[in-house]
Amino acid sequence: MNLEDIMGQENTRESILQENIGQENVHALRISALREEMRRDGIDFWMIPTADFHASEYVAPYFQTREFFSGFTGSNGTLLVGLEEAGLWTDGRYFIQAEKELEGSGIVLYRMGEKGVPDIPQFLLEKVPENGTLAFDGRIISVKEEKDLEKKLAAKNARFVIDRDPAEEIWTGRPGMPAGPVFVLHEEKLAGETAVSKLKRLRDQMDKAGAAYYVSSRLDDIMWLLNIRGMDVECNPVALSYLFVTKDSFSLFLREAEVTDDLLPHLEAAGGKVRSYERFEEFLRTYDYGDGKVMMDPRSFSCRLGGAIQAEKVYAPSPLEAFKAVKNETEIRNLRECYVEDSAALTRFIYFLRKRAEKALRDGDEYLTDPIDDENVDGSDSLGAYLNEYSAAMRLDGIRRQIRDFVELSFPTISAYGPNAAMMHYEATVRDHADLRPEGMYLVDSGGQYLRGTTDVTRTVALGPVTDDMIRHYTLTLAAQMELQHAVFLHGCTGRNLDILARSYFWKEGMDYKCGTGHGIGYLLNVHEGPQRISWQKPAEGAPEAVMAAGMIVSDEPGAYRENLYGIRIETILLCVEKEETPDGRFLCFEPLTFVPLDRRLIDKSILQPQMISWVNEYQEEVYRRIAPFLSEKERAWLREETLPL
Amino acid sequence: MNLEDIMGQENTRESILQENIGQENVHALRISALREEMRRDGIDFWMIPTADFHASEYVAPYFQTREFFSGFTGSNGTLLVGLEEAGLWTDGRYFIQAEKELEGSGIVLYRMGEKGVPDIPQFLLEKVPENGTLAFDGRIISVKEEKDLEKKLAAKNARFVIDRDPAEEIWTGRPGMPAGPVFVLHEEKLAGETAVSKLKRLRDQMDKAGAAYYVSSRLDDIMWLLNIRGMDVECNPVALSYLFVTKDSFSLFLREAEVTDDLLPHLEAAGGKVRSYERFEEFLRTYDYGDGKVMMDPRSFSCRLGGAIQAEKVYAPSPLEAFKAVKNETEIRNLRECYVEDSAALTRFIYFLRKRAEKALRDGDEYLTDPIDDENVDGSDSLGAYLNEYSAAMRLDGIRRQIRDFVELSFPTISAYGPNAAMMHYEATVRDHADLRPEGMYLVDSGGQYLRGTTDVTRTVALGPVTDDMIRHYTLTLAAQMELQHAVFLHGCTGRNLDILARSYFWKEGMDYKCGTGHGIGYLLNVHEGPQRISWQKPAEGAPEAVMAAGMIVSDEPGAYRENLYGIRIETILLCVEKEETPDGRFLCFEPLTFVPLDRRLIDKSILQPQMISWVNEYQEEVYRRIAPFLSEKERAWLREETLPL
């Protein structure tokens, strides 16, 4: 799955659409209601970003306040409401969608990154009156974000109101906060390291930093540390929670409904206990810190909670983020296993697609169809139903669900045909999708959450005749992907050093993909994880530029995107491993975890160097060797053909 | 020339050797004299690095105080003298040499980078008494270095004495400060931009930074800004000087002997005048800054001069460094021309070597010899004198001197045969050198200062039979060098992104060269210039990570170094140019400036990919096309053979 996030917004979108039926300007009305409060309380501007209390990438419906007020459903956007005007800031992926969704709301669209368009601080610097008041929910703005805003608006001497939720008085029928039960990971078979041991490592970092306490609101950090998982965010097995660690104990703050019978003894054994999620702020405010310092990551801890702590702070990038990025031996053994099973699922899906495409070509049909008989996908008649992006995704998800210890998808499957694949964040829906035809290319980016890990994989396949450009760009993408997979590098390198290995294939053609080449992946956690990242660009200010280490996993997913024509992405997940130690240093390399065939119909051997052709052949052979045992006889015979040397 | 600096230390070494003849422990005596002063003045430690008042890479003999006290002649080292003990810190390149040179001095060698060896701040933190006193010449320690030292020694509350020169009372017969005349570059034909225009750009940066004044002690920055050059440092055409710029005028601080007739009207036309070098500190101390701020680069401006300024400071990396790195059209036109002529000189030298090696092989001689008749190098008898590293360098330097507008060498020629080439900083001398034999490899790294620019080039050539390892490593080095030369990259990239293109050829073999792949080069200025640099590693703290820009030049010089066996380096200078602008961005690439043949005897075609073979063939053809016009008929015929396709 690509770095661009794809949110499961279907529910919200539905409810907003329904409301719109009866009342044309529901969003304008809601903003009016907010303005009334603002006038009453002397607030000049309300800033409403999309975020939860935990700096999560995906947020539960409860937190979709920005959508509630604006009607805009994209994954990235900030609403700014003034007494006389309102604006929504979003990026290029959403300009068309936002324009449509904002219609009639009176909200002005600010196209981020376009020439002459001010960003939010610039806008505020101009519009906020001297000594004016800016409000935002201080639980969803980080310590660092608030500090930056303060610095940028210094000239206006603005007052910040941070203890209010703009939707509180207005959003009737707001979805509840999710409260799934928390479960404990088997420490030996699944986690590979006890919570006790992880806590010790954290406390060593606290000692080093001279801190007596560590606080965190990062959900995946907390889950990882305590070897627990939750069910509060779709596709992310995390529980809404906070963490407070001292030198010899810790508290996990949870909603009551989440606490399970085996959780308490598990935490107790590690020296901790459960407290109430709702009373975390009060706890922070009233705790007696003595002269101990409190360590926190200012990029994720909220400014309101930060302000509640009456003690000296030590700001540092989360040590838990760095720890959990390096998978341990148990995790690696499980990952290797579940990636092969996940790869087999996708391979079987590709076999299905291929057979339906071949049938359509044979029969001269304009569209691919669903078969009557799944056992006989290549010859059987069809149900009469067209195969489309959405039904294809459902079918893949169904195959994946059969894998033992499957928990849920790791993100909504991206199933994109033809020009739709040029949109990195595309999501087909039950009502809005393209039908598959026996020509051109189809891209599928998908993954699962298993007890044995989190997967993510993309393949692009030909469904019939393709153009020379498609073949050339697939071949380039493949070479780029393979080049990174075969990287060898000295310990000390970061993703900024490595990125060009993949990207230079595109740059030589005057092309570029507008995202990183790769991201870290959690272990039964978020599909996007830091701190490592494969990208040539500098990390955001305050973010670490993480050194690659053995045990890290990263995606390797270059792509060729041609607007309104097609999109190609090949994504294989790589495990960073030690290669050798020589007098010149310690060298690392990658081992692929993903084994799904590449599409030989889309490869132009004549533009590859012999070394690259060998790499492709070796990989295809390895795919056959590892995946064949999971296939039926027919599937196996097909895979044999698909993976023969070029 | 490689990033490791190679200093012309011969004079100092000579004088020290001579002194040692009469008196075994001259350095111990000098240190005793210093300690006497220290006791008298209450100083606990004296720190004596190698530096001048201008943070120069190469320093004039006047500034070689560290050598004077320690006897150690390496280019990198800091002497620390305490009341009871003295230590010298240097890096791995100099361990053996330092051990020898320090013998009998009582100075302990601290091997930097070795396990358990403290660095200087760590050492001082342990040894300096509470409220103790540390002395160093504040004119040779930068603002940033002093601040860092202060921070690291904060626990000791040490007092810094910075207004003393340790050699002042002790160094009788100290060489004078150099004082060569300053000359003015032809602004149209050579500089390509008037000093007036450059000053305007500087003042724009001052405005942006909110500064009313700019001060600099960086010699190459000052020379570049004012379109002048000097003769005060061997191989660096700079004049010892300081610069003080206001919004509408400027002062250049020079020694009186350096001022020439055409300098004054030149400066006057740009709104400036000359003041006395010796009175710069006094000028800074007594100037009326009003409420204006003073902009300076804390990495090069000295802490003593910084302390003399009674005004608020704005610290920023030198804008002049960034400006001068991007060559203008006139400079580029001149560089293209003079690099071809310089390449022809080296090509003719290689022809000479080759012919003498062939003769030795033919005649079964053990050594190469100098010919009686230069016109007939391939057949004539010899003078009887052996060709050695030193005489070979002299011959190359002689050929280079014949190029019109040659000024001087850009650094002492590195002429290294066999195992000597494994030492990146090797310098053969008239008394200490290897004779050349018709076997193995010879490496030559050299360059010149011309009115049309500064050159730097390395080639490694076979003098006779070579081993398979030599061929394999030369081929790797060649592929690495060519890969970077053919890089294409988006605007915004830095050398950290590009380095792996070259280096990965080595990393895949478990090898690494312990230096950057490339450095910037001045225009009739220093052979090492920033801010751009091709290296995967992070720049030193406080140094910018410079974005590559069209007009920058960089060296491309990977190498394979095998201790006690051989060294290989291929260095071609590249000019960064615009390649194309597409919907995906602005792309840059490189154009080689250097055209010297690669040694086909050392290339194993079988381990190169076809693309690489084409690149090598194209380059060799281009070498022939550009260099042939500068050669005699015999040389031309030879070059034709040398550059035929592999």
Side-chain angles (χ1 to χ4, degrees):
Chain A
M1 186 199 182
N2 196 275
L3 285 170
E4 314 306 315
D5 52 350
I6 298 99
M7 290 180 43
Q9 304 269 12
E10 196 58 16
N11 288 340
T12 318
R13 199 181 297 165
E14 293 306 290
S15 63
I16 288 169
L17 279 169
Q18 280 162 18
E19 289 172 39
N20 267 312
I21 292 164
Q23 193 155 24
E24 263 310 310
N25 286 323
V26 60
H27 303 296
L29 288 175
R30 287 169 181 169
I31 288 177
S32 291
L34 184 62
R35 283 194 179 126
E36 220 165 288
E37 281 186 40
M38 289 165 66
R39 279 195 200 92
R40 183 189 71 200
D41 301 336
I43 291 168
D44 296 299
F45 279 94
W46 252 107
M47 185 170 73
I48 310 175
T50 307
D52 67 5
F53 304 159
H54 305 278
S56 302
E57 185 178 357
Y58 295 65
V59 304
Y62 174 87
F63 295 105
Q64 293 169 4
T65 313
R66 187 260 293 150
E67 289 91 324
F68 172 77
F69 280 107
S70 69
F72 171 60
T73 61
S75 70
N76 179 30
T78 296
L79 174 66
L80 198 63
V81 178
L83 294 169
E84 307 295 334
E85 59 196 321
L88 183 112
W89 276 254
T90 190
D91 67 63
R93 296 174 296 165
Y94 293 112
F95 291 165
I96 296 163
Q97 176 183 334
E99 209 163 350
K100 237 185 265 176
E101 293 178 339
L102 296 179
E103 220 174 315
S105 69
I107 300 168
V108 176
L109 174 62
Y110 289 88
R111 293 172 171 80
M112 279 162 55
E114 289 212 341
K115 240 185 165 166
V117 174
D119 64 18
I120 290 178
Q122 285 165 346
F123 180 90
L124 285 171
L125 193 59
E126 192 183 321
K127 300 278 187 167
V128 171
E130 198 93 22
N131 302 312
T133 300
L134 172 67
F136 48 83
D137 187 338
R139 297 170 300 181
I140 64 174
I141 297 282
S142 74
V143 168
K144 181 172 186 322
E145 286 165 336
E146 191 200 28
K147 268 184 209 269
D148 291 348
L149 205 56
E150 211 172 342
K151 210 189 279 177
K152 285 175 180 165
L153 299 183
K156 285 302 179 78
N157 192 32
R159 185 174 66 98
F160 289 175
V161 170
I162 65 166
D163 57 358
R164 298 265 307 268
D165 178 346
E168 200 163 24
E169 300 181 24
I170 299 166
W171 193 352
T172 53
R174 184 177 194 164
M177 267 207 183
V182 170
F183 61 100
V184 177
L185 280 197
H186 193 294
E187 292 206 313
E188 201 180 311
K189 285 189 197 159
L190 298 178
E193 182 182 3
T194 61
V196 170
S197 161
K198 291 176 178 180
L199 280 157
K200 185 182 174 316
R201 287 205 276 157
L202 173 61
R203 290 183 177 120
D204 287 347
Q205 292 300 311
M206 289 159 57
D207 280 349
K208 259 195 185 166
Y213 310 99
Y214 185 78
V215 292
S216 175
S217 57
R218 279 284 297 240
L219 304 182
D220 58 343
D221 278 3
I222 298 171
M223 299 298 111
W224 176 85
L225 177 71
L226 301 178
N227 290 335
I228 57 177
R229 297 295 186 267
M231 306 185 160
D232 293 347
V233 183
E234 208 187 335
C235 300
N236 294 309
V238 294
L240 293 179
S241 55
Y242 297 108
L243 175 74
F244 184 86
V245 179
T246 72
K247 291 203 168 178
D248 50 15
S249 71
F250 69 88
S251 300
L252 174 67
F253 294 78
L254 279 180
R255 249 95 36 68
E256 211 186 320
E258 310 219 341
V259 181
T260 50
D261 282 351
D262 53 351
L263 179 64
L264 296 176
H266 169 71
L267 295 181
E268 207 170 310
K273 58 173 153 186
V274 167
R275 293 179 191 267
S276 160
Y277 180 86
E278 288 81 3
R279 306 182 73 170
F280 183 55
E281 188 173 349
E282 186 193 327
F283 174 90
L284 291 180
R285 198 177 300 284
T286 57
Y287 190 85
D288 175 14
Y289 300 91
D291 57 359
K293 295 181 195 170
V294 183
M295 184 174 178
M296 66 173 65
D297 188 334
R299 295 170 301 150
S300 60
F301 206 70
S302 79
C303 63
R304 180 160 146 192
L305 292 174
I309 297 173
Q310 307 300 318
E312 195 178 330
K313 281 118 184 173
V314 179
Y315 296 124
S318 160
L320 301 177
E321 185 183 25
F323 291 161
K324 79 177 184 308
V326 178
K327 274 49 182 172
N328 62 43
E329 276 177 39
T330 304
E331 289 171 327
I332 290 172
R333 196 178 53 238
N334 290 336
L335 284 167
R336 283 203 181 105
E337 202 180 270
C338 95
Y339 265 82
V340 166
E341 292 176 37
D342 188 81
S343 293
L346 180 56
T347 303
R348 291 177 58 215
F349 172 67
I350 293 173
Y351 167 80
F352 165 82
L353 270 185
R354 170 82 55 225
K355 291 302 162 189
R356 296 315 288 176
E358 282 171 6
K359 176 178 154 48
L361 280 168
R362 228 174 21 239
D363 299 351
D365 295 344
E366 202 181 336
Y367 293 101
L368 273 62
T369 52
D370 259 331
I372 292 177
D373 172 11
D374 267 14
E375 289 305 302
N376 196 14
V377 290
D378 48 347
S380 75
D381 285 337
S382 16
L383 278 173
Y386 289 159
L387 250 185
N388 62 48
E389 294 169 329
Y390 187 77
S391 62
M394 291 302 107
R395 180 170 282 268
L396 171 58
D397 298 349
I399 300 174
R400 198 167 249 129
R401 264 190 202 96
Q402 294 162 26
I403 296 174
R404 71 188 168 101
D405 80 0
F406 173 88
V407 177
E408 61 179 331
L409 297 182
S410 58
F411 59 95
T413 296
I414 298 174
S415 168
Y417 177 62
N420 289 342
M423 293 179 270
M424 290 185 203
H425 67 300
Y426 179 72
E427 188 184 345
T429 66
V430 64
R431 282 177 313 180
D432 193 6
H433 56 247
D435 294 321
L436 306 188
R437 303 199 297 153
E439 62 174 34
M441 295 180 298
Y442 167 79
L443 179 154
V444 57
D445 186 351
S446 63
Q449 297 284 6
Y450 306 91
L451 291 180
R452 289 168 297 155
T454 303
T455 68
D456 185 4
V457 53
T458 310
R459 287 294 183 268
T460 305
V461 294
L463 295 185
V466 286
T467 65
D468 289 350
D469 269 357
M470 291 177 186
I471 291 176
R472 196 161 57 87
H473 289 155
Y474 183 92
T475 308
L476 277 181
T477 305
L478 169 61
Q481 188 273 315
M482 275 285 157
E483 192 75 50
L484 179 60
Q485 183 172 317
H486 284 83
V488 177
F489 47 98
L490 259 186
H491 195 268
C493 276
T494 75
R496 289 191 63 211
N497 300 128
L498 303 179
D499 185 68
I500 200 170
L501 293 177
R503 209 176 290 266
S504 65
Y505 283 92
F506 291 88
W507 285 355
K508 288 195 173 166
E509 306 285 321
M511 295 168 67
D512 187 40
Y513 43 95
K514 297 300 173 192
C515 58
T517 301
H519 57 81
I521 302 172
Y523 176 85
L524 184 48
L525 279 175
N526 300 357
V527 74
H528 293 158
E529 195 181 85
Q532 79 276 25
R533 181 161 187 254
I534 312 285
S535 169
W536 63 278
Q537 287 171 307
K538 286 192 189 179
E541 202 213 309
E545 186 185 326
V547 165
M548 292 300 302
M552 283 184 173
I553 60 178
V554 288
S555 70
D556 171 8
E557 48 176 318
Y561 304 96
R562 301 201 61 193
E563 212 184 327
N564 300 320
L565 289 171
Y566 53 80
I568 296 161
R569 180 160 67 251
I570 300 174
E571 177 185 25
T572 286
I573 307 306
L574 307 176
L575 170 68
C576 182
V577 295
E578 299 279 353
K579 181 172 183 272
E580 60 176 333
E581 183 157 4
T582 77
D584 286 348
R586 259 178 65 210
F587 293 89
L588 299 167
C589 66
F590 292 122
E591 166 196 316
L593 294 177
T594 308
F595 293 97
V596 180
L598 302 161
D599 194 339
R600 50 191 298 116
R601 287 156 205 80
L602 289 167
I603 301 174
D604 177 1
K605 196 178 153 179
S606 77
I607 59 172
L608 293 178
Q609 298 291 299
Q611 167 77 87
M612 184 58 71
I613 294 171
S614 308
W615 284 344
V616 172
N617 289 337
E618 283 161 21
Y619 179 76
Q620 296 279 69
E621 182 57 31
E622 199 62 21
V623 167
Y624 181 76
R625 203 180 68 75
R626 299 197 186 224
I627 302 305
F630 295 89
L631 302 182
S632 72
E633 208 173 308
K634 275 188 185 173
E635 288 167 335
R636 195 156 52 235
W638 163 82
L639 186 61
R640 181 66 287 176
E641 291 287 323
E642 286 290 305
T643 54
L644 287 177
L646 296 177
Chain B
M1 187 197 181
N2 196 274
L3 285 169
E4 315 305 316
D5 52 350
I6 297 97
M7 291 177 45
Q9 304 267 11
E10 196 58 15
N11 287 340
T12 317
R13 198 181 297 165
E14 293 307 289
S15 62
I16 289 170
L17 280 169
Q18 281 162 19
E19 289 173 39
N20 266 312
I21 294 164
Q23 193 154 26
E24 263 312 309
N25 286 322
V26 60
H27 303 297
L29 288 175
R30 287 169 183 171
I31 287 176
S32 292
L34 183 62
R35 284 190 178 128
E36 219 164 291
E37 280 185 42
M38 289 165 66
R39 281 195 198 93
R40 183 189 69 200
D41 300 337
I43 292 168
D44 296 299
F45 279 95
W46 251 108
M47 185 170 73
I48 309 174
T50 308
D52 67 5
F53 305 158
H54 305 278
S56 303
E57 184 178 359
Y58 295 63
V59 304
Y62 174 87
F63 295 105
Q64 295 171 2
T65 314
R66 186 259 294 151
E67 291 92 321
F68 171 78
F69 280 106
S70 69
F72 171 59
T73 62
S75 70
N76 179 30
T78 296
L79 175 65
L80 198 64
V81 178
L83 293 170
E84 307 295 334
E85 58 196 321
L88 183 111
W89 277 254
T90 190
D91 67 64
R93 297 173 295 164
Y94 294 111
F95 291 165
I96 296 164
Q97 176 183 335
E99 209 161 352
K100 235 185 265 176
E101 294 178 339
L102 295 178
E103 220 174 314
S105 68
I107 301 168
V108 176
L109 174 61
Y110 290 87
R111 293 172 172 80
M112 278 163 55
E114 290 213 339
K115 239 184 165 167
V117 173
D119 63 18
I120 290 177
Q122 285 165 347
F123 180 90
L124 285 171
L125 193 60
E126 192 182 320
K127 301 280 188 164
V128 170
E130 198 94 20
N131 303 312
T133 301
L134 172 68
F136 48 82
D137 186 338
R139 297 170 299 180
I140 65 174
I141 297 282
S142 74
V143 167
K144 179 170 187 321
E145 286 165 334
E146 192 200 28
K147 269 185 210 269
D148 291 348
L149 205 56
E150 211 171 344
K151 209 189 280 178
K152 286 176 180 164
L153 299 183
K156 285 302 180 78
N157 191 32
R159 186 174 66 97
F160 290 175
V161 170
I162 65 167
D163 56 357
R164 298 264 306 267
D165 177 346
E168 200 165 22
E169 300 182 25
I170 299 166
W171 195 349
T172 53
R174 184 177 195 165
M177 270 206 181
V182 170
F183 60 100
V184 177
L185 280 198
H186 193 293
E187 293 206 313
E188 201 180 311
K189 287 189 196 160
L190 298 178
E193 181 181 3
T194 61
V196 171
S197 161
K198 293 176 178 180
L199 280 157
K200 184 180 175 318
R201 288 206 275 157
L202 173 61
R203 289 183 177 121
D204 287 347
Q205 292 300 310
M206 290 161 56
D207 280 349
K208 259 196 183 163
Y213 309 99
Y214 184 77
V215 291
S216 175
S217 58
R218 280 283 296 243
L219 304 183
D220 58 345
D221 278 5
I222 298 170
M223 298 298 113
W224 177 84
L225 176 71
L226 301 178
N227 290 334
I228 57 176
R229 297 296 185 267
M231 306 185 159
D232 293 347
V233 183
E234 209 187 335
C235 299
N236 294 307
V238 294
L240 293 178
S241 56
Y242 297 107
L243 175 74
F244 184 86
V245 178
T246 72
K247 292 203 169 178
D248 50 16
S249 71
F250 70 89
S251 300
L252 173 68
F253 295 77
L254 279 180
R255 248 95 37 69
E256 210 186 321
E258 309 219 340
V259 181
T260 49
D261 282 350
D262 53 351
L263 178 64
L264 295 176
H266 169 71
L267 296 181
E268 206 170 310
K273 59 174 154 185
V274 167
R275 292 180 191 267
S276 159
Y277 180 87
E278 289 80 5
R279 306 183 72 171
F280 183 55
E281 188 174 349
E282 185 193 327
F283 174 88
L284 290 179
R285 198 177 300 284
T286 56
Y287 190 84
D288 175 14
Y289 299 92
D291 57 0
K293 295 180 195 170
V294 184
M295 184 174 179
M296 65 173 66
D297 189 332
R299 295 170 300 150
S300 60
F301 206 70
S302 79
C303 63
R304 180 160 148 192
L305 292 174
I309 296 174
Q310 307 301 317
E312 197 180 328
K313 280 118 184 173
V314 178
Y315 295 124
S318 160
L320 300 177
E321 187 183 23
F323 291 160
K324 80 176 185 304
V326 177
K327 274 48 181 174
N328 62 42
E329 277 177 38
T330 304
E331 288 171 328
I332 290 172
R333 196 177 54 237
N334 290 338
L335 283 167
R336 283 202 180 106
E337 202 180 272
C338 97
Y339 265 81
V340 167
E341 291 175 37
D342 187 82
S343 294
L346 180 55
T347 303
R348 291 178 56 213
F349 173 67
I350 293 173
Y351 168 81
F352 165 81
L353 270 185
R354 170 82 55 227
K355 291 303 162 187
R356 295 316 288 176
E358 282 170 7
K359 176 179 154 46
L361 281 168
R362 228 174 22 237
D363 300 351
D365 293 344
E366 201 180 338
Y367 293 101
L368 274 62
T369 52
D370 260 331
I372 293 177
D373 173 10
D374 267 14
E375 289 304 301
N376 197 11
V377 291
D378 48 345
S380 77
D381 285 337
S382 15
L383 276 171
Y386 289 159
L387 250 186
N388 61 49
E389 294 169 329
Y390 186 76
S391 62
M394 291 301 109
R395 181 170 282 269
L396 171 59
D397 298 350
I399 300 174
R400 199 167 247 128
R401 266 192 200 96
Q402 294 163 25
I403 296 174
R404 69 188 170 102
D405 79 2
F406 173 88
V407 177
E408 61 180 332
L409 297 181
S410 59
F411 59 95
T413 296
I414 299 175
S415 169
Y417 177 63
N420 289 341
M423 295 179 267
M424 290 186 205
H425 67 298
Y426 180 72
E427 188 184 344
T429 66
V430 64
R431 279 178 313 180
D432 193 6
H433 56 248
D435 293 321
L436 306 188
R437 303 199 297 152
E439 62 174 36
M441 294 179 299
Y442 168 79
L443 179 155
V444 58
D445 186 351
S446 62
Q449 298 283 6
Y450 307 91
L451 290 181
R452 288 167 298 157
T454 303
T455 68
D456 186 4
V457 52
T458 310
R459 286 295 183 267
T460 305
V461 294
L463 295 185
V466 287
T467 66
D468 288 350
D469 269 358
M470 291 177 187
I471 291 176
R472 196 162 56 86
H473 289 154
Y474 183 92
T475 308
L476 277 181
T477 305
L478 169 61
Q481 187 273 315
M482 275 284 159
E483 194 74 50
L484 179 60
Q485 183 172 319
H486 285 82
V488 177
F489 47 99
L490 261 185
H491 194 268
C493 276
T494 75
R496 289 192 62 211
N497 300 127
L498 303 180
D499 185 68
I500 200 171
L501 293 177
R503 208 176 292 265
S504 66
Y505 283 91
F506 291 89
W507 285 355
K508 288 196 173 164
E509 306 284 322
M511 293 168 67
D512 186 40
Y513 43 94
K514 298 299 174 194
C515 58
T517 301
H519 57 82
I521 302 171
Y523 177 87
L524 183 48
L525 278 174
N526 299 357
V527 74
H528 294 156
E529 193 182 87
Q532 79 276 24
R533 180 161 187 255
I534 310 286
S535 170
W536 64 277
Q537 288 170 306
K538 287 192 190 178
E541 202 213 310
E545 186 186 326
V547 164
M548 292 299 303
M552 282 183 172
I553 61 178
V554 289
S555 69
D556 170 8
E557 48 176 319
Y561 304 95
R562 301 202 61 192
E563 213 183 326
N564 299 320
L565 289 171
Y566 53 81
I568 297 162
R569 180 160 68 252
I570 301 174
E571 177 185 26
T572 286
I573 308 306
L574 306 176
L575 169 68
C576 182
V577 295
E578 300 278 354
K579 180 172 182 275
E580 60 178 333
E581 182 157 4
T582 77
D584 286 348
R586 259 177 65 208
F587 293 89
L588 299 168
C589 66
F590 291 123
E591 166 196 317
L593 293 177
T594 308
F595 293 96
V596 180
L598 302 161
D599 194 338
R600 50 192 297 118
R601 289 157 202 79
L602 289 167
I603 302 174
D604 178 0
K605 194 178 155 180
S606 77
I607 58 172
L608 294 178
Q609 298 290 301
Q611 167 76 88
M612 185 58 71
I613 295 171
S614 306
W615 284 345
V616 172
N617 290 338
E618 284 160 22
Y619 179 77
Q620 296 279 69
E621 181 58 31
E622 199 61 21
V623 167
Y624 181 75
R625 202 180 68 76
R626 297 196 187 224
I627 301 304
F630 295 89
L631 303 182
S632 71
E633 208 172 309
K634 276 187 181 173
E635 288 166 336
R636 195 155 53 232
W638 164 82
L639 185 61
R640 181 68 287 177
E641 291 288 324
E642 287 289 306
T643 54
L644 287 177
L646 295 177

